[in-house]
Amino acid sequence: QVQLVESGGGSVQTGGSLRLSCAASGYTYSRYCMGWFRQTPGKEREGVAGINKDGSTRYADSVKGRFTLSQDAKNTLYLQMNSLKPEDTAMYYCAAGRFHCNYWFASGPSPVSDWGQGTQVTVSS
């Protein structure tokens, strides 16, 4: 099992920036993809960004060029979010899974095996 603890959410105005962090512990070696989903009320969780073990990354089209995902040697994930828009408002969840990140964007949240507790991001206009 993998434990994921998020931090860094908050409220910003349109055009602002936030950085989310996710500290991972446990059997992280068994997870191939780690990254972030987000969810708004009444909608399914959608993939935002993921990083594979080989270092390759995948982003949702809606965040490309604005969000950057990185990972340090201690398995902490960072999601740098710039040029934030009101439509980025959501609960953001750190996630880990056994399969390539492409499955997250093709299949939704079902390939994810581990979830963090979530952190709220609110962008006001």
Side-chain angles (χ1 to χ4, degrees), residues 106-122:
S107 306
S110 59
V112 174
S113 53
D114 309 281
W115 293 101
Q117 80 282 1
T119 185
Q120 177 68 36
V121 171
T122 303

Side-chain angles (χ1 to χ4, degrees), residues 5-123:
V5 179
E6 302 104 330
S7 61
S11 298
V12 294
Q13 292 187 327
T14 298
S17 298
L18 282 173
R19 188 175 83 155
L20 306 183
S21 300
C22 173
S25 61
Y27 295 106
T28 56
Y29 61 87
S30 65
R31 302 300 185 257
Y32 193 84
C33 173
M34 297 184 68
W36 296 86
F37 277 72
R38 66 187 180 187
Q39 188 173 25
T40 54
K43 292 189 176 181
E44 187 180 59
R45 290 183 190 184
E46 61 172 3
V48 175
I51 184 166
N52 293 299
K53 266 191 175 180
D54 63 4
S56 60
T57 54
R58 174 76 186 265
Y59 296 91
D61 289 343
S62 58
V63 307
K64 281 181 183 176
R66 301 187 298 120
F67 290 14
T68 303
L69 181 63
S70 60
Q71 186 175 27
D72 68 15
K74 296 183 178 179
N75 280 327
T76 297
L77 286 179
Y78 301 98
L79 184 67
Q80 179 66 42
M81 305 185 294
N82 298 327
S83 302
L84 283 162
K85 304 175 181 180
E87 50 264 44
D88 295 316
T89 295
M91 185 70 79
Y92 283 70
Y93 295 91
C94 186
R98 297 180 178 87
F99 307 106
H100 196 280
C101 292
N102 284 347
Y103 284 96
W104 290 11
F105 295 89
S107 306
S110 59
V112 174
S113 53
D114 309 281
W115 293 101
Q117 80 282 1
T119 185
Q120 177 68 36
V121 171
T122 303
V123 184

